[in-house]
Amino acid sequence: MSNNDANEVLRMVLIGPPGAGKGTQAPNLVEKFHAAHLATGDMLRSQVAQGTELGKEAKKIMDKGGLVSDDIMVNMIKSELSSDKCKRGFILDGFPRTIPQAKLLDKMLEEQDKPLQKAVELKIDDELLVSRITGRLVHPASGRSYHKSFNPPKVEGKDDVTGEDLVQRSDDNAEALKKRLGSYHDQTEPIVNYYKEKGIWAGVDASQNPAKVWGDIIKCLGFNA
């Protein structure tokens, strides 16, 4: 991406462990680039709610407690790419989580002539994440996230935009987080090397304050903050 083409379409993956700040930074990227935030859970819920073929298939699997297949997820992303909201590009969040998923995604995006430009990793120590995540608050309808200490809402317990109540997710506790971090390190960290080899990886120190992290992400993408 270049500084002199502010209209350039954004195509990126946001990688990072739970609590690294993806939920804080993704809305900033959406606002700046008018790109779509494609988060795994949101896409699944949207397709199920719309009753699409993929949604019906995914619901059957999820109702049995199974994991939705990589093929279904990639086809959901493909389906989203054809919608108007992806005209200015996309920010993938929560997918891919494994190297086979990353390869499948690349194949589909290349067939669509929409290859990834950047894979930005938000890097942070596990110990810091535990203290961070136990103070996290989420606005369920939009996915906007806050933190009691690091990124508090303007009014305590209320979403800045809608004024609706914020909640603490049931899995935002130290024990659950350590399990999630274990699977993140095992499964997802290897895709960092995959994207490094492709030459599109960039790392950002996510332990800094959100404004500094945002500035570093913009620099990674080749823009001035």
Tab-separated table of all heavy atoms in Angstrom, residues 64-127:
chain	number	residue	atom	x	y	z
A	64	LYS	N	-24.951	-29.705	16.922
A	64	LYS	CA	-24.437	-30.990	17.430
A	64	LYS	C	-23.149	-30.788	18.242
A	64	LYS	O	-22.513	-31.750	18.662
A	64	LYS	CB	-24.139	-31.938	16.257
A	64	LYS	CG	-25.379	-32.445	15.563
A	64	LYS	CD	-24.987	-33.313	14.374
A	64	LYS	CE	-26.209	-33.700	13.551
A	64	LYS	NZ	-25.826	-34.216	12.226
A	65	GLY	N	-22.757	-29.515	18.387
A	65	GLY	CA	-21.541	-29.217	19.160
A	65	GLY	C	-20.254	-29.398	18.364
A	65	GLY	O	-19.164	-29.441	18.928
A	66	GLY	N	-20.391	-29.492	17.037
A	66	GLY	CA	-19.201	-29.694	16.189
A	66	GLY	C	-18.570	-28.383	15.765
A	66	GLY	O	-19.119	-27.301	15.999
A	67	LEU	N	-17.409	-28.491	15.130
A	67	LEU	CA	-16.709	-27.316	14.597
A	67	LEU	C	-17.034	-27.170	13.114
A	67	LEU	O	-16.983	-28.151	12.366
A	67	LEU	CB	-15.197	-27.465	14.777
A	67	LEU	CG	-14.653	-27.303	16.201
A	67	LEU	CD1	-13.168	-27.652	16.235
A	67	LEU	CD2	-14.857	-25.881	16.701
A	68	VAL	N	-17.359	-25.958	12.722
A	68	VAL	CA	-17.676	-25.689	11.314
A	68	VAL	C	-16.414	-25.904	10.475
A	68	VAL	O	-15.328	-25.455	10.837
A	68	VAL	CB	-18.213	-24.247	11.150
A	68	VAL	CG1	-18.458	-23.915	9.692
A	68	VAL	CG2	-19.490	-24.083	11.958
A	69	SER	N	-16.555	-26.610	9.356
A	69	SER	CA	-15.380	-26.982	8.555
A	69	SER	C	-14.704	-25.764	7.914
A	69	SER	O	-15.325	-24.719	7.711
A	69	SER	CB	-15.781	-27.958	7.444
A	69	SER	OG	-16.488	-27.258	6.436
A	70	ASP	N	-13.421	-25.941	7.590
A	70	ASP	CA	-12.652	-24.880	6.932
A	70	ASP	C	-13.301	-24.483	5.611
A	70	ASP	O	-13.343	-23.302	5.255
A	70	ASP	CB	-11.211	-25.353	6.665
A	70	ASP	CG	-10.455	-25.627	7.964
A	70	ASP	OD1	-10.986	-25.298	9.037
A	70	ASP	OD2	-9.334	-26.157	7.900
A	71	ASP	N	-13.825	-25.481	4.880
A	71	ASP	CA	-14.454	-25.195	3.577
A	71	ASP	C	-15.659	-24.272	3.744
A	71	ASP	O	-15.842	-23.334	2.970
A	71	ASP	CB	-14.905	-26.502	2.899
A	71	ASP	CG	-13.740	-27.212	2.225
A	71	ASP	OD1	-12.810	-26.513	1.768
A	71	ASP	OD2	-13.748	-28.453	2.169
A	72	ILE	N	-16.476	-24.565	4.760
A	72	ILE	CA	-17.666	-23.721	4.984
A	72	ILE	C	-17.236	-22.296	5.334
A	72	ILE	O	-17.767	-21.314	4.810
A	72	ILE	CB	-18.574	-24.307	6.100
A	72	ILE	CG1	-19.255	-25.586	5.610
A	72	ILE	CG2	-19.627	-23.286	6.539
A	72	ILE	CD1	-20.125	-26.283	6.657
A	73	MET	N	-16.221	-22.174	6.212
A	73	MET	CA	-15.769	-20.833	6.613
A	73	MET	C	-15.238	-20.049	5.407
A	73	MET	O	-15.556	-18.871	5.235
A	73	MET	CB	-14.676	-20.936	7.689
A	73	MET	CG	-15.182	-21.261	9.085
A	73	MET	SD	-16.575	-20.269	9.671
A	73	MET	CE	-15.975	-18.611	9.456
A	74	VAL	N	-14.426	-20.709	4.583
A	74	VAL	CA	-13.860	-20.016	3.409
A	74	VAL	C	-14.970	-19.631	2.434
A	74	VAL	O	-14.949	-18.534	1.854
A	74	VAL	CB	-12.763	-20.879	2.731
A	74	VAL	CG1	-12.376	-20.310	1.371
A	74	VAL	CG2	-11.522	-20.935	3.624
A	75	ASN	N	-15.973	-20.495	2.287
A	75	ASN	CA	-17.093	-20.155	1.403
A	75	ASN	C	-17.937	-19.015	1.961
A	75	ASN	O	-18.480	-18.214	1.209
A	75	ASN	CB	-17.957	-21.393	1.131
A	75	ASN	CG	-17.331	-22.273	0.057
A	75	ASN	OD1	-16.778	-21.757	-0.915
A	75	ASN	ND2	-17.372	-23.572	0.242
A	76	MET	N	-18.014	-18.927	3.297
A	76	MET	CA	-18.726	-17.788	3.905
A	76	MET	C	-17.987	-16.485	3.623
A	76	MET	O	-18.599	-15.467	3.305
A	76	MET	CB	-18.848	-17.987	5.419
A	76	MET	CG	-19.966	-18.925	5.811
A	76	MET	SD	-20.261	-18.867	7.593
A	76	MET	CE	-21.554	-20.092	7.736
A	77	ILE	N	-16.660	-16.535	3.730
A	77	ILE	CA	-15.857	-15.333	3.434
A	77	ILE	C	-16.041	-14.958	1.966
A	77	ILE	O	-16.244	-13.790	1.619
A	77	ILE	CB	-14.365	-15.572	3.777
A	77	ILE	CG1	-14.198	-15.754	5.291
A	77	ILE	CG2	-13.500	-14.408	3.288
A	77	ILE	CD1	-12.868	-16.349	5.721
A	78	LYS	N	-16.026	-15.973	1.093
A	78	LYS	CA	-16.224	-15.734	-0.348
A	78	LYS	C	-17.579	-15.072	-0.589
A	78	LYS	O	-17.696	-14.119	-1.368
A	78	LYS	CB	-16.143	-17.077	-1.086
A	78	LYS	CG	-16.221	-16.957	-2.597
A	78	LYS	CD	-16.096	-18.331	-3.223
A	78	LYS	CE	-16.221	-18.276	-4.732
A	78	LYS	NZ	-16.097	-19.629	-5.321
A	79	SER	N	-18.604	-15.557	0.116
A	79	SER	CA	-19.946	-14.994	-0.023
A	79	SER	C	-19.971	-13.531	0.451
A	79	SER	O	-20.562	-12.661	-0.188
A	79	SER	CB	-20.917	-15.858	0.789
A	79	SER	OG	-22.059	-15.156	1.141
A	80	GLU	N	-19.280	-13.248	1.568
A	80	GLU	CA	-19.213	-11.863	2.084
A	80	GLU	C	-18.501	-10.944	1.095
A	80	GLU	O	-18.856	-9.777	0.959
A	80	GLU	CB	-18.484	-11.833	3.439
A	80	GLU	CG	-19.179	-12.586	4.558
A	80	GLU	CD	-20.351	-11.839	5.160
A	80	GLU	OE1	-20.512	-10.640	4.910
A	80	GLU	OE2	-21.136	-12.491	5.897
A	81	LEU	N	-17.466	-11.465	0.407
A	81	LEU	CA	-16.681	-10.638	-0.513
A	81	LEU	C	-17.525	-10.074	-1.649
A	81	LEU	O	-17.205	-9.032	-2.212
A	81	LEU	CB	-15.519	-11.446	-1.127
A	81	LEU	CG	-14.386	-11.861	-0.185
A	81	LEU	CD1	-13.294	-12.575	-0.952
A	81	LEU	CD2	-13.808	-10.667	0.549
A	82	SER	N	-18.613	-10.784	-1.978
A	82	SER	CA	-19.444	-10.312	-3.099
A	82	SER	C	-20.450	-9.250	-2.652
A	82	SER	O	-21.155	-8.673	-3.464
A	82	SER	CB	-20.182	-11.491	-3.735
A	82	SER	OG	-21.059	-12.063	-2.776
A	83	SER	N	-20.514	-8.987	-1.334
A	83	SER	CA	-21.484	-7.992	-0.847
A	83	SER	C	-20.895	-6.579	-0.931
A	83	SER	O	-19.686	-6.393	-0.965
A	83	SER	CB	-21.903	-8.309	0.590
A	83	SER	OG	-20.808	-8.110	1.455
A	84	ASP	N	-21.797	-5.599	-0.930
A	84	ASP	CA	-21.390	-4.193	-1.052
A	84	ASP	C	-20.443	-3.755	0.049
A	84	ASP	O	-19.575	-2.919	-0.157
A	84	ASP	CB	-22.623	-3.272	-1.027
A	84	ASP	CG	-23.278	-3.202	-2.397
A	84	ASP	OD1	-22.684	-3.739	-3.352
A	84	ASP	OD2	-24.372	-2.632	-2.510
A	85	LYS	N	-20.634	-4.333	1.247
A	85	LYS	CA	-19.828	-3.854	2.376
A	85	LYS	C	-18.335	-4.150	2.188
A	85	LYS	O	-17.497	-3.557	2.854
A	85	LYS	CB	-20.336	-4.436	3.692
A	85	LYS	CG	-20.138	-5.932	3.865
A	85	LYS	CD	-20.598	-6.366	5.251
A	85	LYS	CE	-20.322	-7.850	5.482
A	85	LYS	NZ	-20.690	-8.281	6.817
A	86	CYS	N	-18.008	-5.083	1.276
A	86	CYS	CA	-16.594	-5.421	1.049
A	86	CYS	C	-15.993	-4.688	-0.149
A	86	CYS	O	-14.876	-5.001	-0.565
A	86	CYS	CB	-16.425	-6.926	0.861
A	86	CYS	SG	-16.612	-7.856	2.386
A	87	LYS	N	-16.729	-3.711	-0.685
A	87	LYS	CA	-16.207	-2.963	-1.852
A	87	LYS	C	-14.884	-2.284	-1.543
A	87	LYS	O	-14.026	-2.155	-2.403
A	87	LYS	CB	-17.224	-1.894	-2.278
A	87	LYS	CG	-18.238	-2.397	-3.273
A	87	LYS	CD	-19.125	-1.262	-3.749
A	87	LYS	CE	-20.160	-1.764	-4.764
A	87	LYS	NZ	-21.215	-0.785	-4.996
A	88	ARG	N	-14.736	-1.807	-0.310
A	88	ARG	CA	-13.506	-1.111	0.086
A	88	ARG	C	-12.523	-2.056	0.772
A	88	ARG	O	-11.579	-1.622	1.414
A	88	ARG	CB	-13.815	0.057	1.034
A	88	ARG	CG	-14.850	1.051	0.525
A	88	ARG	CD	-14.457	1.784	-0.730
A	88	ARG	NE	-13.107	2.280	-0.703
A	88	ARG	CZ	-12.313	2.317	-1.766
A	88	ARG	NH1	-12.713	1.859	-2.930
A	88	ARG	NH2	-11.092	2.790	-1.669
A	89	GLY	N	-12.799	-3.374	0.680
A	89	GLY	CA	-11.877	-4.340	1.260
A	89	GLY	C	-12.402	-4.961	2.540
A	89	GLY	O	-13.583	-4.829	2.872
A	90	PHE	N	-11.505	-5.635	3.277
A	90	PHE	CA	-11.936	-6.370	4.459
A	90	PHE	C	-10.808	-6.504	5.480
A	90	PHE	O	-9.629	-6.449	5.135
A	90	PHE	CB	-12.446	-7.771	4.075
A	90	PHE	CG	-11.434	-8.591	3.316
A	90	PHE	CD1	-10.459	-9.326	3.988
A	90	PHE	CD2	-11.445	-8.633	1.917
A	90	PHE	CE1	-9.521	-10.076	3.294
A	90	PHE	CE2	-10.499	-9.371	1.214
A	90	PHE	CZ	-9.536	-10.100	1.916
A	91	ILE	N	-11.225	-6.682	6.733
A	91	ILE	CA	-10.305	-6.993	7.828
A	91	ILE	C	-10.767	-8.324	8.396
A	91	ILE	O	-11.846	-8.406	9.005
A	91	ILE	CB	-10.356	-5.911	8.941
A	91	ILE	CG1	-10.011	-4.533	8.381
A	91	ILE	CG2	-9.413	-6.269	10.093
A	91	ILE	CD1	-11.151	-3.560	8.389
A	92	LEU	N	-10.013	-9.375	8.175
A	92	LEU	CA	-10.374	-10.702	8.700
A	92	LEU	C	-9.903	-10.820	10.138
A	92	LEU	O	-8.764	-10.472	10.451
A	92	LEU	CB	-9.731	-11.795	7.850
A	92	LEU	CG	-10.533	-12.256	6.638
A	92	LEU	CD1	-9.668	-13.134	5.754
A	92	LEU	CD2	-11.781	-13.016	7.050
A	93	ASP	N	-10.781	-11.345	11.003
A	93	ASP	CA	-10.483	-11.411	12.430
A	93	ASP	C	-11.006	-12.755	12.960
A	93	ASP	O	-12.197	-13.018	12.910
A	93	ASP	CB	-11.188	-10.220	13.094
A	93	ASP	CG	-11.142	-10.236	14.610
A	93	ASP	OD1	-10.532	-11.143	15.187
A	93	ASP	OD2	-11.741	-9.319	15.213
A	94	GLY	N	-10.098	-13.614	13.433
A	94	GLY	CA	-10.513	-14.920	13.953
A	94	GLY	C	-10.378	-16.036	12.938
A	94	GLY	O	-10.621	-17.194	13.233
A	95	PHE	N	-10.004	-15.707	11.727
A	95	PHE	CA	-9.770	-16.686	10.667
A	95	PHE	C	-8.755	-16.092	9.707
A	95	PHE	O	-8.869	-14.919	9.375
A	95	PHE	CB	-11.079	-16.980	9.915
A	95	PHE	CG	-10.992	-18.175	8.993
A	95	PHE	CD1	-11.376	-19.436	9.417
A	95	PHE	CD2	-10.495	-18.032	7.694
A	95	PHE	CE1	-11.286	-20.530	8.565
A	95	PHE	CE2	-10.393	-19.112	6.845
A	95	PHE	CZ	-10.801	-20.375	7.292
A	96	PRO	N	-7.747	-16.836	9.282
A	96	PRO	CA	-7.470	-18.241	9.590
A	96	PRO	C	-6.813	-18.420	10.958
A	96	PRO	O	-6.145	-17.524	11.454
A	96	PRO	CB	-6.496	-18.642	8.477
A	96	PRO	CG	-5.772	-17.376	8.147
A	96	PRO	CD	-6.763	-16.267	8.324
A	97	ARG	N	-7.024	-19.623	11.531
A	97	ARG	CA	-6.407	-19.967	12.812
A	97	ARG	C	-5.324	-21.034	12.647
A	97	ARG	O	-4.595	-21.316	13.589
A	97	ARG	CB	-7.464	-20.504	13.781
A	97	ARG	CG	-8.425	-19.446	14.294
A	97	ARG	CD	-9.462	-20.085	15.196
A	97	ARG	NE	-10.537	-19.143	15.529
A	97	ARG	CZ	-10.578	-18.436	16.636
A	97	ARG	NH1	-9.615	-18.518	17.522
A	97	ARG	NH2	-11.597	-17.628	16.877
A	98	THR	N	-5.291	-21.676	11.493
A	98	THR	CA	-4.305	-22.741	11.265
A	98	THR	C	-3.696	-22.572	9.872
A	98	THR	O	-4.260	-21.873	9.018
A	98	THR	CB	-4.966	-24.133	11.330
A	98	THR	OG1	-5.931	-24.222	10.261
A	98	THR	CG2	-5.670	-24.371	12.657
A	99	ILE	N	-2.567	-23.250	9.629
A	99	ILE	CA	-1.920	-23.144	8.306
A	99	ILE	C	-2.813	-23.719	7.195
A	99	ILE	O	-2.951	-23.082	6.145
A	99	ILE	CB	-0.517	-23.785	8.333
A	99	ILE	CG1	0.416	-22.866	9.137
A	99	ILE	CG2	0.033	-23.974	6.921
A	99	ILE	CD1	1.812	-23.378	9.341
A	100	PRO	N	-3.463	-24.881	7.377
A	100	PRO	CA	-4.371	-25.350	6.305
A	100	PRO	C	-5.453	-24.318	5.972
A	100	PRO	O	-5.795	-24.123	4.802
A	100	PRO	CB	-4.978	-26.636	6.884
A	100	PRO	CG	-3.954	-27.127	7.857
A	100	PRO	CD	-3.330	-25.894	8.448
A	101	GLN	N	-5.996	-23.648	7.007
A	101	GLN	CA	-7.004	-22.605	6.761
A	101	GLN	C	-6.400	-21.443	5.977
A	101	GLN	O	-7.031	-20.904	5.060
A	101	GLN	CB	-7.571	-22.090	8.083
A	101	GLN	CG	-8.492	-23.062	8.780
A	101	GLN	CD	-8.965	-22.561	10.136
A	101	GLN	OE1	-8.511	-21.518	10.627
A	101	GLN	NE2	-9.876	-23.293	10.755
A	102	ALA	N	-5.174	-21.060	6.340
A	102	ALA	CA	-4.503	-19.937	5.662
A	102	ALA	C	-4.283	-20.265	4.185
A	102	ALA	O	-4.482	-19.415	3.309
A	102	ALA	CB	-3.172	-19.630	6.346
A	103	LYS	N	-3.909	-21.513	3.912
A	103	LYS	CA	-3.667	-21.927	2.510
A	103	LYS	C	-4.965	-21.947	1.716
A	103	LYS	O	-5.009	-21.509	0.565
A	103	LYS	CB	-2.994	-23.306	2.482
A	103	LYS	CG	-1.539	-23.268	2.945
A	103	LYS	CD	-0.904	-24.643	2.895
A	103	LYS	CE	0.610	-24.530	3.179
A	103	LYS	NZ	1.232	-25.861	3.320
A	104	LEU	N	-6.016	-22.467	2.350
A	104	LEU	CA	-7.329	-22.528	1.692
A	104	LEU	C	-7.844	-21.117	1.393
A	104	LEU	O	-8.372	-20.842	0.311
A	104	LEU	CB	-8.296	-23.255	2.628
A	104	LEU	CG	-9.493	-23.985	2.037
A	104	LEU	CD1	-9.072	-25.046	1.030
A	104	LEU	CD2	-10.309	-24.643	3.158
A	105	LEU	N	-7.673	-20.223	2.360
A	105	LEU	CA	-8.093	-18.825	2.194
A	105	LEU	C	-7.325	-18.167	1.054
A	105	LEU	O	-7.912	-17.505	0.192
A	105	LEU	CB	-7.854	-18.059	3.500
A	105	LEU	CG	-8.154	-16.560	3.456
A	105	LEU	CD1	-9.645	-16.295	3.340
A	105	LEU	CD2	-7.604	-15.861	4.696
A	106	ASP	N	-5.992	-18.352	1.036
A	106	ASP	CA	-5.165	-17.757	-0.025
A	106	ASP	C	-5.604	-18.224	-1.410
A	106	ASP	O	-5.688	-17.428	-2.349
A	106	ASP	CB	-3.688	-18.122	0.179
A	106	ASP	CG	-3.003	-17.184	1.162
A	106	ASP	OD1	-3.596	-16.134	1.479
A	106	ASP	OD2	-1.886	-17.495	1.606
A	107	LYS	N	-5.885	-19.518	-1.519
A	107	LYS	CA	-6.293	-20.080	-2.808
A	107	LYS	C	-7.582	-19.402	-3.284
A	107	LYS	O	-7.693	-18.963	-4.427
A	107	LYS	CB	-6.491	-21.594	-2.665
A	107	LYS	CG	-6.830	-22.330	-3.954
A	107	LYS	CD	-6.786	-23.849	-3.721
A	107	LYS	CE	-7.100	-24.620	-4.982
A	107	LYS	NZ	-8.526	-24.567	-5.372
A	108	MET	N	-8.567	-19.293	-2.372
A	108	MET	CA	-9.841	-18.683	-2.737
A	108	MET	C	-9.656	-17.203	-3.099
A	108	MET	O	-10.197	-16.719	-4.100
A	108	MET	CB	-10.826	-18.823	-1.565
A	108	MET	CG	-12.233	-18.274	-1.849
A	108	MET	SD	-12.408	-16.492	-1.523
A	108	MET	CE	-12.413	-16.447	0.260
A	109	LEU	N	-8.871	-16.463	-2.304
A	109	LEU	CA	-8.680	-15.024	-2.560
A	109	LEU	C	-7.942	-14.788	-3.877
A	109	LEU	O	-8.237	-13.844	-4.609
A	109	LEU	CB	-7.925	-14.370	-1.398
A	109	LEU	CG	-8.701	-14.244	-0.082
A	109	LEU	CD1	-7.798	-13.728	1.025
A	109	LEU	CD2	-9.918	-13.324	-0.238
A	110	GLU	N	-6.988	-15.668	-4.175
A	110	GLU	CA	-6.258	-15.518	-5.444
A	110	GLU	C	-7.182	-15.788	-6.625
A	110	GLU	O	-7.112	-15.123	-7.653
A	110	GLU	CB	-5.017	-16.420	-5.453
A	110	GLU	CG	-3.841	-15.731	-4.729
A	110	GLU	CD	-2.833	-16.708	-4.136
A	110	GLU	OE1	-2.794	-17.867	-4.593
A	110	GLU	OE2	-2.089	-16.299	-3.210
A	111	GLU	N	-8.073	-16.777	-6.473
A	111	GLU	CA	-9.058	-17.066	-7.540
A	111	GLU	C	-9.993	-15.869	-7.754
A	111	GLU	O	-10.457	-15.620	-8.854
A	111	GLU	CB	-9.890	-18.307	-7.182
A	111	GLU	CG	-9.129	-19.612	-7.373
A	111	GLU	CD	-9.816	-20.814	-6.714
A	111	GLU	OE1	-10.899	-20.632	-6.099
A	111	GLU	OE2	-9.260	-21.925	-6.807
A	112	GLN	N	-10.247	-15.126	-6.671
A	112	GLN	CA	-11.125	-13.944	-6.742
A	112	GLN	C	-10.340	-12.695	-7.173
A	112	GLN	O	-10.910	-11.611	-7.283
A	112	GLN	CB	-11.742	-13.662	-5.368
A	112	GLN	CG	-12.636	-14.763	-4.838
A	112	GLN	CD	-13.998	-14.754	-5.509
A	112	GLN	OE1	-14.672	-13.740	-5.533
A	112	GLN	NE2	-14.393	-15.877	-6.079
A	113	ASP	N	-9.036	-12.865	-7.359
A	113	ASP	CA	-8.136	-11.743	-7.667
A	113	ASP	C	-8.162	-10.693	-6.554
A	113	ASP	O	-8.148	-9.493	-6.790
A	113	ASP	CB	-8.505	-11.119	-9.020
A	113	ASP	CG	-7.344	-10.295	-9.599
A	113	ASP	OD1	-6.192	-10.564	-9.215
A	113	ASP	OD2	-7.602	-9.387	-10.404
A	114	LYS	N	-8.231	-11.196	-5.313
A	114	LYS	CA	-8.250	-10.300	-4.143
A	114	LYS	C	-7.260	-10.816	-3.089
A	114	LYS	O	-7.657	-11.099	-1.954
A	114	LYS	CB	-9.657	-10.241	-3.542
A	114	LYS	CG	-10.668	-9.554	-4.463
A	114	LYS	CD	-12.083	-9.640	-3.916
A	114	LYS	CE	-13.068	-8.936	-4.855
A	114	LYS	NZ	-14.464	-9.129	-4.473
A	115	PRO	N	-5.981	-10.968	-3.451
A	115	PRO	CA	-5.027	-11.543	-2.486
A	115	PRO	C	-4.816	-10.639	-1.272
A	115	PRO	O	-5.007	-9.428	-1.347
A	115	PRO	CB	-3.736	-11.666	-3.302
A	115	PRO	CG	-3.861	-10.620	-4.361
A	115	PRO	CD	-5.319	-10.550	-4.700
A	116	LEU	N	-4.438	-11.260	-0.161
A	116	LEU	CA	-4.137	-10.493	1.046
A	116	LEU	C	-2.957	-9.567	0.810
A	116	LEU	O	-2.004	-9.934	0.126
A	116	LEU	CB	-3.783	-11.442	2.195
A	116	LEU	CG	-4.928	-12.204	2.847
A	116	LEU	CD1	-4.371	-13.213	3.844
A	116	LEU	CD2	-5.898	-11.259	3.547
A	117	GLN	N	-3.021	-8.378	1.424
A	117	GLN	CA	-1.887	-7.451	1.350
A	117	GLN	C	-1.061	-7.489	2.621
A	117	GLN	O	0.148	-7.312	2.586
A	117	GLN	CB	-2.404	-6.013	1.162
A	117	GLN	CG	-3.212	-5.824	-0.091
A	117	GLN	CD	-4.169	-4.654	0.071
A	117	GLN	OE1	-4.746	-4.443	1.131
A	117	GLN	NE2	-4.343	-3.899	-0.984
A	118	LYS	N	-1.727	-7.687	3.776
A	118	LYS	CA	-1.015	-7.636	5.051
A	118	LYS	C	-1.612	-8.612	6.051
A	118	LYS	O	-2.824	-8.828	6.072
A	118	LYS	CB	-1.110	-6.227	5.680
A	118	LYS	CG	-0.110	-5.237	5.150
A	118	LYS	CD	1.289	-5.492	5.698
A	118	LYS	CE	2.302	-4.570	5.040
A	118	LYS	NZ	3.669	-5.031	5.193
A	119	ALA	N	-0.741	-9.174	6.885
A	119	ALA	CA	-1.163	-9.931	8.063
A	119	ALA	C	-0.515	-9.225	9.247
A	119	ALA	O	0.701	-9.275	9.420
A	119	ALA	CB	-0.690	-11.371	7.961
A	120	VAL	N	-1.315	-8.502	10.024
A	120	VAL	CA	-0.778	-7.720	11.141
A	120	VAL	C	-0.999	-8.495	12.439
A	120	VAL	O	-2.131	-8.857	12.779
A	120	VAL	CB	-1.457	-6.331	11.219
A	120	VAL	CG1	-0.979	-5.568	12.446
A	120	VAL	CG2	-1.178	-5.523	9.947
A	121	GLU	N	0.108	-8.759	13.137
A	121	GLU	CA	0.042	-9.496	14.399
A	121	GLU	C	0.156	-8.528	15.572
A	121	GLU	O	1.097	-7.734	15.650
A	121	GLU	CB	1.184	-10.521	14.475
A	121	GLU	CG	1.143	-11.333	15.761
A	121	GLU	CD	2.409	-12.143	16.016
A	121	GLU	OE1	3.405	-11.973	15.274
A	121	GLU	OE2	2.403	-12.936	16.970
A	122	LEU	N	-0.807	-8.607	16.492
A	122	LEU	CA	-0.744	-7.834	17.731
A	122	LEU	C	-0.037	-8.704	18.768
A	122	LEU	O	-0.564	-9.733	19.194
A	122	LEU	CB	-2.154	-7.465	18.212
A	122	LEU	CG	-2.994	-6.621	17.240
A	122	LEU	CD1	-4.353	-6.302	17.839
A	122	LEU	CD2	-2.277	-5.330	16.856
A	123	LYS	N	1.177	-8.305	19.146
A	123	LYS	CA	2.028	-9.136	20.009
A	123	LYS	C	1.987	-8.641	21.454
A	123	LYS	O	2.127	-7.443	21.694
A	123	LYS	CB	3.475	-9.083	19.502
A	123	LYS	CG	3.606	-9.534	18.056
A	123	LYS	CD	4.947	-9.164	17.482
A	123	LYS	CE	6.033	-9.985	18.152
A	123	LYS	NZ	7.266	-10.023	17.365
A	124	ILE	N	1.812	-9.600	22.390
A	124	ILE	CA	1.701	-9.218	23.796
A	124	ILE	C	1.990	-10.427	24.686
A	124	ILE	O	1.684	-11.551	24.314
A	124	ILE	CB	0.286	-8.633	24.068
A	124	ILE	CG1	0.176	-8.045	25.464
A	124	ILE	CG2	-0.807	-9.639	23.797
A	124	ILE	CD1	-1.036	-7.145	25.658
A	125	ASP	N	2.586	-10.197	25.858
A	125	ASP	CA	2.905	-11.295	26.784
A	125	ASP	C	1.643	-11.846	27.438
A	125	ASP	O	0.720	-11.098	27.770
A	125	ASP	CB	3.833	-10.795	27.921
A	125	ASP	CG	5.239	-10.529	27.416
A	125	ASP	OD1	5.581	-11.067	26.350
A	125	ASP	OD2	5.975	-9.781	28.087
A	126	ASP	N	1.645	-13.158	27.683
A	126	ASP	CA	0.488	-13.815	28.306
A	126	ASP	C	0.123	-13.188	29.657
A	126	ASP	O	-1.052	-13.003	29.958
A	126	ASP	CB	0.774	-15.310	28.519
A	126	ASP	CG	0.727	-16.093	27.207
A	126	ASP	OD1	0.609	-15.459	26.140
A	126	ASP	OD2	0.815	-17.332	27.257
A	127	GLU	N	1.145	-12.878	30.487
A	127	GLU	CA	0.878	-12.364	31.834
A	127	GLU	C	0.086	-11.053	31.767
A	127	GLU	O	-0.841	-10.825	32.538
A	127	GLU	CB	2.182	-12.105	32.621
A	127	GLU	CG	2.960	-13.346	32.976
A	127	GLU	CD	3.708	-13.946	31.785
A	127	GLU	OE1	3.967	-13.208	30.806
A	127	GLU	OE2	3.996	-15.158	31.823
